[in-house]
């Protein structure tokens, strides 16, 4: 049956596999996993709260890896950036990956090995973004699943 629910129809690759960001979004949208992995209050970044629990309880339901480093490789391969300072230190973000905006995931691309080695992003030396200040001007709506 056809549905408009973005959580039940995750974005797929050309060979019909669900993309990593779509699976990650589905996990983050599920309240059952909030004690393990969750959106931060502003909805522009997310964090893994308990790596061990994530590998035992969540990852096997969605992914084929068994090591946390493999998960991190997927995260960085899909061009998520890690916040290194401030209140959200150690969280991850991507400009196209936000709570309540699953339709943007289709524009995300995985880097090839060569691109990742040779790429230096503009602004790499800049400070981490302040999502709390950004949210004051441009708040994200709370995602609701029915």
């Amino acid at each position: 049956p056809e549905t408009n629910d973005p959580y039940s129809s995750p974005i797929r690759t050309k060979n019909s596999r669900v993309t990593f960001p779509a699976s990650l979004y589905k996990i983050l949208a599920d309240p059952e996993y909030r004690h393990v992995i969750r959106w931060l209050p502003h909805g522009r970044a997310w964090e893994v709260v308990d790596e061990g629990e994530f590998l035992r309880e969540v990852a096997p339901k969605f992914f084929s890896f068994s090591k946390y480093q493999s998960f991190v490789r997927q995260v960085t391969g899909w061009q998520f950036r890690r916040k290194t300072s401030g209140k959200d230190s150690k969280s991850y973000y991507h400009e196209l990956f936000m709570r309540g905006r699953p339709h943007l995931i289709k524009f995300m691309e995985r880097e090839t090995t060569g691109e990742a080695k040779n790429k230096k992003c503009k602004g790499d030396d800049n400070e981490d973004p302040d999502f709390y200040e950004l949210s004051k001007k441009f708040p994200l709506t709370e995602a609701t699943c029915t």
Side-chain angles (χ1 to χ4, degrees):
E2 191 64 29
T3 178
N4 290 328
D5 181 5
Y7 309 112
S8 64
S9 307
I11 295 162
R12 299 183 179 275
T13 62
K14 291 175 187 170
N15 59 4
S16 294
R17 289 193 337 211
V18 176
T19 65
F20 175 82
S23 294
L24 181 59
Y25 194 96
K26 188 172 186 171
I27 293 167
L28 287 161
D30 191 331
E32 177 183 350
Y33 304 123
R34 285 195 186 135
H35 66 288
V36 179
I37 182 171
R38 64 182 173 211
W39 288 110
L40 294 176
H42 47 68
R44 289 175 166 83
W46 54 272
E47 66 181 346
V48 175
V49 179
D50 186 330
E51 293 176 16
E53 184 82 4
F54 176 79
L55 286 177
R56 282 187 304 278
E57 301 299 323
V58 181
K61 296 176 183 175
F62 296 90
F63 308 115
S64 60
F65 51 77
S66 58
K67 295 182 180 175
Y68 191 74
Q69 190 56 40
S70 298
F71 173 70
V72 171
R73 242 188 325 276
Q74 284 288 321
V75 168
T76 57
W78 281 92
Q79 303 177 50
F80 284 91
R81 301 200 50 180
R82 188 169 186 175
K83 296 229 353 144
T84 57
S85 62
K87 193 173 185 178
D88 299 339
S89 180
K90 300 183 181 179
S91 66
Y92 291 93
Y93 66 97
H94 189 289
E95 63 185 2
L96 298 173
F97 195 83
M98 294 177 277
R99 184 185 62 227
R101 308 285 196 278
H103 59 282
L104 296 176
I105 294 171
K106 66 184 170 200
F107 300 109
M108 294 177 71
E109 295 181 358
R110 181 150 173 62
E111 287 183 328
T112 64
T113 305
E115 287 175 332
K117 287 182 180 177
N118 299 322
K119 186 175 175 182
K120 171 84 168 136
C121 296
K122 283 186 178 180
D124 274 352
D125 298 326
N126 291 346
E127 292 181 27
D128 286 334
D130 183 342
F131 293 125
Y132 295 94
E133 282 300 314
L134 183 63
S135 291
K136 289 178 184 176
K137 292 182 181 180
F138 307 101
L140 295 176
T141 56
E142 207 39 65
T144 55
C145 299
T146 53

